[in-house]
Amino acid sequence: MRSPKITFIGAGSTVFAKNLIGDLLSYPELAAAKITLFDIDEKRLTESEIIARRINQAVGARAVIEATTDRSKALDGADYAINMIQVGGYKPATVTDFALPSKAGLNQTIADSLGIGGIMRAVRTVPVLLSMAHDMERLCPDVLHLNYVNPMAMNCLGLNRGSKIRTVGLCHSVRHTAGELAADIGVPVEEIDYVVAGVNHVAFYLKFERDGQDLYPLIQQVIDEGRVPDTNRVRYDVFKRFGYFVTESSEHFAEYVPWYIKRDRPDLIEKFNIPLNEYPRRCESQLAEWESMSADLKDASKPIEVRRSVEYGSEIIHSIETGQPRVIYGNVMNRGAISNLPADACVELPILVDRQGLQPTMIGDLPMQLAALMQTQINVQKLTVEGILTGRRDHIHHAALLDPHTAAELDTDQIVRLVDDLLDAHGDFVPANLRRRSDKVA
């Protein structure tokens, strides 16, 4: 077996990097891989390096581990690049993405994938990812880029339009939701066969079966018996209305559509148990947890737990390196795989992985109501990416004007003003071609 070079971009996301490194080095065939950790934050990078070396020792692997703040060095000769960056971070970028819309009367829950928050995160992130991809074209043109960065669909769409690098977007929502539904209906998840397709965070289980038996009646039974989990009321309502279960969590999905969050309807917030401003709370909690967790993870006198995660990244690399076939869920350009969605959309669907690489499954037509719902998201995604790639600020306005939740809460003047205020507030995180003329560098 060869020893592939696997580069982690944004390796200062230490907990996530820990999980993926543990996954990779748990495979004997990958135990001698070269793991290169890259981040611009030296402190967090050093912490990740310490933890990576402890994992290497704990699982009895013999990986070569290095850490660097030099992006070119990190990418040079890489076979795989795993991306987990967050441009602008929680502070100031995410705080801004919540504060200004809230002031304008637009409430959000997560704001990292779709909606006005997702649009702004794409504006900050796509240009940085493209800069990295252009480095890859020069330093590792055959690399497989595994993107975990949100907003998933917009980032992958921008990467596929603006670079030659092979990219697959990876998200754990398919597996997480399958586990949640399995618990709700009392069926072991490993006994369930499912097929999912759509766009990231708005993909649906087209099939959910055990031994050929449709399990959707058991999901309906959860509603009939009044057993809907309090944290999942939105998704069960969507299932009731559309006939299929969506992959992303209720707190996410609530802000993708115009029905659940309305500033003059507090009854809806209570009825569907919607956690407004959830992402900032989550970030604060994670930062506090990290302070205590990091000391334990770095302490050589304490055992480090290595448990396989639900992430697809290591499975893809293992299948390509060994030829062992697997089906994973990934985000790629549609190109006709889902026949009633645009060919140039980014879609999430089953992908066969083996030594030949990634081979997306042909799905055919989705149920009409699902395709129509997804199209409302694709409109926003494509306009946002077009605006980023062409420097057309008006297309960022158009994307926000067509966003279902934003449009349901604000009028046209308010939406355009909010977009402009957000672009101004994000300053240098916004590419120069989208800044106001007076803000552009001469």
Side-chain angles (χ1 to χ4, degrees), residues 48-240:
S48 291
E49 181 184 11
I50 293 169
I51 292 165
R53 294 189 185 282
R54 292 201 64 208
I55 293 169
N56 197 27
Q57 183 178 28
V59 300
R62 55 192 186 281
V64 175
I65 295 171
E66 65 176 6
T68 180
T69 56
D70 183 333
R71 192 166 88 189
S72 292
K73 179 181 178 182
L75 291 173
D76 191 19
D79 297 292
Y80 304 93
I82 302 175
N83 211 324
M84 54 191 79
I85 64 170
Q86 184 180 354
V87 180
Y90 165 54
K91 292 180 180 178
T94 298
V95 171
T96 300
D97 282 345
F98 274 87
L100 293 187
S102 179
K103 186 178 178 181
L106 181 66
N107 291 312
Q108 300 173 98
T109 52
I110 306 295
D112 71 345
S113 301
L114 295 166
I116 198 72
I119 291 169
M120 288 301 132
R121 190 176 281 223
V123 166
R124 298 191 300 273
T125 308
V126 169
V128 175
L129 293 179
L130 283 174
S131 175
M132 292 176 172
H134 296 152
D135 280 353
M136 294 177 201
E137 291 170 0
R138 177 171 53 88
L139 297 165
C140 50
D142 297 323
V143 72
L144 176 61
H145 182 212
L146 285 70
N147 178 62
Y148 278 99
V149 184
N150 278 323
M152 181 60 68
M154 288 187 268
N155 286 341
C156 291
L157 182 57
L159 282 163
N160 278 283
R161 284 195 53 190
S163 79
K164 299 175 183 177
I165 294 299
R166 292 178 302 152
T167 291
V168 59
L170 301 175
C171 176
H172 47 230
S173 62
V174 172
R175 277 182 168 164
H176 276 174
T177 297
E180 291 173 18
L181 284 174
D184 289 351
I185 64 176
V187 175
V189 69
E190 60 272 13
E191 296 179 13
I192 298 175
D193 297 318
Y194 54 78
V195 174
V196 171
V199 297
N200 181 241
H201 287 195
V202 190
F204 287 79
Y205 292 85
L206 305 178
K207 181 178 85 168
F208 205 74
E209 298 177 349
R210 176 172 60 175
D211 297 329
Q213 178 187 4
D214 183 13
L215 295 177
Y216 264 120
L218 294 184
I219 299 176
Q220 179 61 47
Q221 199 172 322
V222 174
I223 297 176
D224 296 342
E225 295 176 358
R227 294 188 288 109
V228 173
D230 288 343
T231 56
N232 229 351
R233 295 177 192 171
V234 168
R235 284 199 291 180
Y236 270 91
D237 188 62
V238 172
F239 163 62
K240 184 165 66 174

Side-chain angles (χ1 to χ4, degrees), residues 245-293:
F245 211 90
V246 72
T247 56
E248 194 42 70
S249 64
S250 282
E251 65 266 25
H252 268 282
F253 196 83
E255 66 183 4
Y256 300 163
V257 292
W259 312 312
Y260 300 109
I261 303 174
K262 296 180 183 292
R263 56 185 161 178
D264 60 346
R265 292 289 305 278
D267 59 304
L268 290 176
I269 304 302
E270 182 177 354
K271 176 181 178 181
F272 291 103
N273 193 35
I274 297 169
L276 297 179
N277 301 309
E278 169 65 13
Y279 192 64
R281 283 196 298 271
R282 198 172 292 178
C283 289
E284 293 288 353
S285 173
Q286 288 172 346
L287 288 170
E289 287 176 16
W290 173 245
E291 291 302 318
S292 59
M293 189 190 308

